[in-house]
Structure formats: structure tokens, C-alpha cells
Amino acid sequence: MDKNLKDTISAAKNLQKEGLIYLNDSIDLEVEPNYQILAMIIHNLNDMIDREKYELVKNDEKKLIHELALLNFNENDLICDDDVEIMENMTREYIDILDPILYEDVCVFFPKAGKLAEIYGKASTQIEEGKFKNIIF
């Protein structure tokens, strides 16, 4: 067996043991995330930005997403471009950046309702199918 394939399968099995993914026992190696974990990650995204900073980047979607992504890291964290890119993708996919709520000097962004409902539906299905234990409902 190819070493890369063997390492990939081993890594996927370890992720399954941790409850982060579901690995189907077929030859196709079908993998799906634990949607309960994904929902928790979305709820824990730091989605508040200082109003002054927001005013500087609000007309540039790419910069706004980048700034929101950076807010999810502590000042002393060792981060790489891949980490930032993951957070940018999460923000782009799941956070409504078009309609923040202004509260005092802070802009608060909320998850896209339709996306979050879809994730909860998938999480519920995974629980019903016995793929994961219920940890959030």
C-alpha cells in the first residue's frame, strides 16, 4: 500500500476516534465532519470588530473577512497563512458580513441563519444515524 495513502487512512481513523469526523467503512473512504463540532466552532467565532476598524474595511469584502478572521487568534498565538485561510473560509461561508449590528463602538456579526439551520439539520441526522453521540442538543 502506498505510504501516503496508509498515512492518510491512519490520520482519518485518529480523527474518527476523536469524534471529529465520521469515516464510512467502505472502499470509497467517505468522510464527513461532525456537524455538531462545526456548529460549536461557528458559534465560537469572534465576530465583533471595533467600529473604527470596521469603517476602514467595510467597503472591501476581502479585507473585512481577513480582519474578522484575525480576531480569532490571540496576540501571542503562532499562526500560519493556512490557519488564517481556514478562518477566512469559515467567516466567508458562515458569517453574515453584510448586516452587522452596531452596539456602542463595536460591530457585531452573526452567523447566516440558513447555513446554521442546515448544519443543525445535518448534525441531527448524524445523531439519528448513530454516527455521533448527541453533545449539543
Side-chain angles (χ1 to χ4, degrees), residues 24-45:
N24 190 349
D25 293 332
S26 73
I27 193 77
D28 296 330
L29 290 178
E30 296 173 22
V31 176
E32 63 184 88
N34 183 334
Y35 287 104
Q36 293 176 91
I37 301 291
L38 182 57
M40 287 189 287
I41 290 170
I42 292 167
H43 279 291
N44 288 321
L45 288 176

PDB file of all heavy atoms in Angstrom, residues 24-45:
ATOM      1  N   ASN A  24     -16.794   6.395   6.845  1.00  0.00           N
ATOM      2  CA  ASN A  24     -17.622   5.286   6.382  1.00  0.00           C
ATOM      3  C   ASN A  24     -16.723   4.086   6.101  1.00  0.00           C
ATOM      4  O   ASN A  24     -15.635   4.224   5.555  1.00  0.00           O
ATOM      5  CB  ASN A  24     -18.372   5.712   5.109  1.00  0.00           C
ATOM      6  CG  ASN A  24     -19.425   4.724   4.707  1.00  0.00           C
ATOM      7  OD1 ASN A  24     -19.504   3.620   5.226  1.00  0.00           O
ATOM      8  ND2 ASN A  24     -20.256   5.119   3.766  1.00  0.00           N
ATOM      9  N   ASP A  25     -17.165   2.925   6.473  1.00  0.00           N
ATOM     10  CA  ASP A  25     -16.388   1.699   6.280  1.00  0.00           C
ATOM     11  C   ASP A  25     -16.544   1.126   4.878  1.00  0.00           C
ATOM     12  O   ASP A  25     -16.813  -0.044   4.696  1.00  0.00           O
ATOM     13  CB  ASP A  25     -16.806   0.635   7.302  1.00  0.00           C
ATOM     14  CG  ASP A  25     -16.435   1.014   8.709  1.00  0.00           C
ATOM     15  OD1 ASP A  25     -15.459   1.761   8.873  1.00  0.00           O
ATOM     16  OD2 ASP A  25     -17.108   0.563   9.643  1.00  0.00           O
ATOM     17  N   SER A  26     -16.344   1.959   3.886  1.00  0.00           N
ATOM     18  CA  SER A  26     -16.439   1.473   2.508  1.00  0.00           C
ATOM     19  C   SER A  26     -15.098   1.700   1.814  1.00  0.00           C
ATOM     20  O   SER A  26     -14.229   2.404   2.311  1.00  0.00           O
ATOM     21  CB  SER A  26     -17.547   2.202   1.738  1.00  0.00           C
ATOM     22  OG  SER A  26     -17.151   3.520   1.443  1.00  0.00           O
ATOM     23  N   ILE A  27     -14.959   1.130   0.671  1.00  0.00           N
ATOM     24  CA  ILE A  27     -13.737   1.260  -0.110  1.00  0.00           C
ATOM     25  C   ILE A  27     -13.550   2.690  -0.615  1.00  0.00           C
ATOM     26  O   ILE A  27     -12.449   3.123  -0.917  1.00  0.00           O
ATOM     27  CB  ILE A  27     -13.721   0.241  -1.282  1.00  0.00           C
ATOM     28  CG1 ILE A  27     -12.338   0.134  -1.929  1.00  0.00           C
ATOM     29  CG2 ILE A  27     -14.737   0.613  -2.322  1.00  0.00           C
ATOM     30  CD1 ILE A  27     -11.367  -0.650  -1.147  1.00  0.00           C
ATOM     31  N   ASP A  28     -14.639   3.482  -0.646  1.00  0.00           N
ATOM     32  CA  ASP A  28     -14.581   4.849  -1.168  1.00  0.00           C
ATOM     33  C   ASP A  28     -13.997   5.847  -0.179  1.00  0.00           C
ATOM     34  O   ASP A  28     -13.743   6.990  -0.533  1.00  0.00           O
ATOM     35  CB  ASP A  28     -15.986   5.324  -1.571  1.00  0.00           C
ATOM     36  CG  ASP A  28     -16.557   4.502  -2.703  1.00  0.00           C
ATOM     37  OD1 ASP A  28     -15.766   4.005  -3.529  1.00  0.00           O
ATOM     38  OD2 ASP A  28     -17.789   4.353  -2.757  1.00  0.00           O
ATOM     39  N   LEU A  29     -13.786   5.431   1.069  1.00  0.00           N
ATOM     40  CA  LEU A  29     -13.267   6.317   2.111  1.00  0.00           C
ATOM     41  C   LEU A  29     -14.091   7.598   2.226  1.00  0.00           C
ATOM     42  O   LEU A  29     -13.576   8.699   2.160  1.00  0.00           O
ATOM     43  CB  LEU A  29     -11.797   6.660   1.863  1.00  0.00           C
ATOM     44  CG  LEU A  29     -10.797   5.538   2.068  1.00  0.00           C
ATOM     45  CD1 LEU A  29      -9.395   6.003   1.741  1.00  0.00           C
ATOM     46  CD2 LEU A  29     -10.847   4.997   3.483  1.00  0.00           C
ATOM     47  N   GLU A  30     -15.389   7.439   2.371  1.00  0.00           N
ATOM     48  CA  GLU A  30     -16.268   8.588   2.537  1.00  0.00           C
ATOM     49  C   GLU A  30     -16.093   9.157   3.936  1.00  0.00           C
ATOM     50  O   GLU A  30     -16.161   8.444   4.924  1.00  0.00           O
ATOM     51  CB  GLU A  30     -17.723   8.162   2.322  1.00  0.00           C
ATOM     52  CG  GLU A  30     -18.001   7.673   0.920  1.00  0.00           C
ATOM     53  CD  GLU A  30     -19.397   7.091   0.776  1.00  0.00           C
ATOM     54  OE1 GLU A  30     -20.270   7.426   1.596  1.00  0.00           O
ATOM     55  OE2 GLU A  30     -19.589   6.298  -0.140  1.00  0.00           O
ATOM     56  N   VAL A  31     -15.847  10.457   4.001  1.00  0.00           N
ATOM     57  CA  VAL A  31     -15.612  11.132   5.265  1.00  0.00           C
ATOM     58  C   VAL A  31     -16.544  12.329   5.354  1.00  0.00           C
ATOM     59  O   VAL A  31     -16.771  13.020   4.373  1.00  0.00           O
ATOM     60  CB  VAL A  31     -14.144  11.612   5.352  1.00  0.00           C
ATOM     61  CG1 VAL A  31     -13.897  12.398   6.618  1.00  0.00           C
ATOM     62  CG2 VAL A  31     -13.183  10.445   5.261  1.00  0.00           C
ATOM     63  N   GLU A  32     -17.107  12.563   6.548  1.00  0.00           N
ATOM     64  CA  GLU A  32     -17.907  13.766   6.760  1.00  0.00           C
ATOM     65  C   GLU A  32     -17.580  14.333   8.131  1.00  0.00           C
ATOM     66  O   GLU A  32     -17.247  13.587   9.053  1.00  0.00           O
ATOM     67  CB  GLU A  32     -19.398  13.483   6.610  1.00  0.00           C
ATOM     68  CG  GLU A  32     -19.976  12.524   7.612  1.00  0.00           C
ATOM     69  CD  GLU A  32     -21.438  12.210   7.357  1.00  0.00           C
ATOM     70  OE1 GLU A  32     -21.706  11.264   6.592  1.00  0.00           O
ATOM     71  OE2 GLU A  32     -22.291  12.909   7.931  1.00  0.00           O
ATOM     72  N   PRO A  33     -17.637  15.652   8.248  1.00  0.00           N
ATOM     73  CA  PRO A  33     -17.316  16.256   9.543  1.00  0.00           C
ATOM     74  C   PRO A  33     -18.411  16.001  10.561  1.00  0.00           C
ATOM     75  O   PRO A  33     -19.554  15.718  10.208  1.00  0.00           O
ATOM     76  CB  PRO A  33     -17.226  17.747   9.221  1.00  0.00           C
ATOM     77  CG  PRO A  33     -18.145  17.925   8.060  1.00  0.00           C
ATOM     78  CD  PRO A  33     -18.021  16.646   7.255  1.00  0.00           C
ATOM     79  N   ASN A  34     -18.066  16.143  11.825  1.00  0.00           N
ATOM     80  CA  ASN A  34     -19.056  16.102  12.889  1.00  0.00           C
ATOM     81  C   ASN A  34     -19.713  17.483  12.894  1.00  0.00           C
ATOM     82  O   ASN A  34     -19.097  18.473  13.306  1.00  0.00           O
ATOM     83  CB  ASN A  34     -18.387  15.804  14.231  1.00  0.00           C
ATOM     84  CG  ASN A  34     -19.379  15.690  15.364  1.00  0.00           C
ATOM     85  OD1 ASN A  34     -20.458  16.260  15.305  1.00  0.00           O
ATOM     86  ND2 ASN A  34     -18.994  14.980  16.399  1.00  0.00           N
ATOM     87  N   TYR A  35     -20.941  17.564  12.408  1.00  0.00           N
ATOM     88  CA  TYR A  35     -21.610  18.847  12.257  1.00  0.00           C
ATOM     89  C   TYR A  35     -21.920  19.506  13.600  1.00  0.00           C
ATOM     90  O   TYR A  35     -22.073  20.730  13.668  1.00  0.00           O
ATOM     91  CB  TYR A  35     -22.863  18.707  11.399  1.00  0.00           C
ATOM     92  CG  TYR A  35     -22.516  18.514   9.943  1.00  0.00           C
ATOM     93  CD1 TYR A  35     -22.618  17.268   9.338  1.00  0.00           C
ATOM     94  CD2 TYR A  35     -22.062  19.570   9.179  1.00  0.00           C
ATOM     95  CE1 TYR A  35     -22.267  17.085   8.009  1.00  0.00           C
ATOM     96  CE2 TYR A  35     -21.706  19.400   7.851  1.00  0.00           C
ATOM     97  CZ  TYR A  35     -21.813  18.159   7.264  1.00  0.00           C
ATOM     98  OH  TYR A  35     -21.464  17.989   5.950  1.00  0.00           O
ATOM     99  N   GLN A  36     -21.969  18.745  14.680  1.00  0.00           N
ATOM    100  CA  GLN A  36     -22.135  19.348  16.000  1.00  0.00           C
ATOM    101  C   GLN A  36     -20.895  20.180  16.346  1.00  0.00           C
ATOM    102  O   GLN A  36     -21.008  21.297  16.852  1.00  0.00           O
ATOM    103  CB  GLN A  36     -22.343  18.275  17.073  1.00  0.00           C
ATOM    104  CG  GLN A  36     -23.648  17.515  16.930  1.00  0.00           C
ATOM    105  CD  GLN A  36     -23.728  16.412  17.954  1.00  0.00           C
ATOM    106  OE1 GLN A  36     -24.235  16.641  19.036  1.00  0.00           O
ATOM    107  NE2 GLN A  36     -23.204  15.243  17.615  1.00  0.00           N
ATOM    108  N   ILE A  37     -19.733  19.638  16.040  1.00  0.00           N
ATOM    109  CA  ILE A  37     -18.475  20.347  16.296  1.00  0.00           C
ATOM    110  C   ILE A  37     -18.410  21.594  15.413  1.00  0.00           C
ATOM    111  O   ILE A  37     -18.038  22.674  15.874  1.00  0.00           O
ATOM    112  CB  ILE A  37     -17.252  19.439  16.036  1.00  0.00           C
ATOM    113  CG1 ILE A  37     -17.287  18.192  16.909  1.00  0.00           C
ATOM    114  CG2 ILE A  37     -15.949  20.219  16.196  1.00  0.00           C
ATOM    115  CD1 ILE A  37     -17.081  18.430  18.379  1.00  0.00           C
ATOM    116  N   LEU A  38     -18.791  21.456  14.153  1.00  0.00           N
ATOM    117  CA  LEU A  38     -18.788  22.598  13.239  1.00  0.00           C
ATOM    118  C   LEU A  38     -19.710  23.699  13.751  1.00  0.00           C
ATOM    119  O   LEU A  38     -19.354  24.880  13.741  1.00  0.00           O
ATOM    120  CB  LEU A  38     -19.202  22.165  11.830  1.00  0.00           C
ATOM    121  CG  LEU A  38     -19.198  23.247  10.758  1.00  0.00           C
ATOM    122  CD1 LEU A  38     -17.833  23.912  10.636  1.00  0.00           C
ATOM    123  CD2 LEU A  38     -19.634  22.664   9.425  1.00  0.00           C
ATOM    124  N   ALA A  39     -20.886  23.342  14.241  1.00  0.00           N
ATOM    125  CA  ALA A  39     -21.819  24.339  14.790  1.00  0.00           C
ATOM    126  C   ALA A  39     -21.192  25.045  15.995  1.00  0.00           C
ATOM    127  O   ALA A  39     -21.317  26.273  16.134  1.00  0.00           O
ATOM    128  CB  ALA A  39     -23.132  23.671  15.183  1.00  0.00           C
ATOM    129  N   MET A  40     -20.520  24.304  16.843  1.00  0.00           N
ATOM    130  CA  MET A  40     -19.878  24.915  18.008  1.00  0.00           C
ATOM    131  C   MET A  40     -18.757  25.861  17.581  1.00  0.00           C
ATOM    132  O   MET A  40     -18.588  26.936  18.166  1.00  0.00           O
ATOM    133  CB  MET A  40     -19.356  23.845  18.959  1.00  0.00           C
ATOM    134  CG  MET A  40     -20.468  23.133  19.714  1.00  0.00           C
ATOM    135  SD  MET A  40     -19.882  22.051  21.036  1.00  0.00           S
ATOM    136  CE  MET A  40     -19.193  20.698  20.103  1.00  0.00           C
ATOM    137  N   ILE A  41     -18.009  25.482  16.566  1.00  0.00           N
ATOM    138  CA  ILE A  41     -16.939  26.350  16.063  1.00  0.00           C
ATOM    139  C   ILE A  41     -17.536  27.653  15.536  1.00  0.00           C
ATOM    140  O   ILE A  41     -17.039  28.744  15.832  1.00  0.00           O
ATOM    141  CB  ILE A  41     -16.110  25.641  14.971  1.00  0.00           C
ATOM    142  CG1 ILE A  41     -15.285  24.522  15.592  1.00  0.00           C
ATOM    143  CG2 ILE A  41     -15.210  26.638  14.238  1.00  0.00           C
ATOM    144  CD1 ILE A  41     -14.622  23.598  14.585  1.00  0.00           C
ATOM    145  N   ILE A  42     -18.615  27.547  14.769  1.00  0.00           N
ATOM    146  CA  ILE A  42     -19.256  28.743  14.211  1.00  0.00           C
ATOM    147  C   ILE A  42     -19.748  29.658  15.326  1.00  0.00           C
ATOM    148  O   ILE A  42     -19.553  30.874  15.280  1.00  0.00           O
ATOM    149  CB  ILE A  42     -20.405  28.352  13.266  1.00  0.00           C
ATOM    150  CG1 ILE A  42     -19.837  27.668  12.026  1.00  0.00           C
ATOM    151  CG2 ILE A  42     -21.239  29.568  12.874  1.00  0.00           C
ATOM    152  CD1 ILE A  42     -20.869  26.966  11.177  1.00  0.00           C
ATOM    153  N   HIS A  43     -20.349  29.079  16.351  1.00  0.00           N
ATOM    154  CA  HIS A  43     -20.837  29.888  17.477  1.00  0.00           C
ATOM    155  C   HIS A  43     -19.699  30.534  18.255  1.00  0.00           C
ATOM    156  O   HIS A  43     -19.899  31.565  18.897  1.00  0.00           O
ATOM    157  CB  HIS A  43     -21.706  29.050  18.411  1.00  0.00           C
ATOM    158  CG  HIS A  43     -23.100  28.901  17.914  1.00  0.00           C
ATOM    159  ND1 HIS A  43     -23.995  29.940  17.872  1.00  0.00           N
ATOM    160  CD2 HIS A  43     -23.757  27.832  17.410  1.00  0.00           C
ATOM    161  CE1 HIS A  43     -25.134  29.524  17.376  1.00  0.00           C
ATOM    162  NE2 HIS A  43     -25.017  28.244  17.083  1.00  0.00           N
ATOM    163  N   ASN A  44     -18.519  29.933  18.220  1.00  0.00           N
ATOM    164  CA  ASN A  44     -17.380  30.474  18.968  1.00  0.00           C
ATOM    165  C   ASN A  44     -16.487  31.399  18.148  1.00  0.00           C
ATOM    166  O   ASN A  44     -15.490  31.899  18.672  1.00  0.00           O
ATOM    167  CB  ASN A  44     -16.543  29.336  19.554  1.00  0.00           C
ATOM    168  CG  ASN A  44     -17.246  28.657  20.693  1.00  0.00           C
ATOM    169  OD1 ASN A  44     -17.896  29.307  21.506  1.00  0.00           O
ATOM    170  ND2 ASN A  44     -17.146  27.346  20.748  1.00  0.00           N
ATOM    171  N   LEU A  45     -16.845  31.623  16.876  1.00  0.00           N
ATOM    172  CA  LEU A  45     -16.065  32.563  16.078  1.00  0.00           C
ATOM    173  C   LEU A  45     -16.166  33.944  16.712  1.00  0.00           C
ATOM    174  O   LEU A  45     -17.242  34.374  17.129  1.00  0.00           O
ATOM    175  CB  LEU A  45     -16.581  32.624  14.641  1.00  0.00           C
ATOM    176  CG  LEU A  45     -16.296  31.423  13.751  1.00  0.00           C
ATOM    177  CD1 LEU A  45     -16.970  31.611  12.395  1.00  0.00           C
ATOM    178  CD2 LEU A  45     -14.810  31.214  13.560  1.00  0.00           C
TER     179      LEU A  45
END
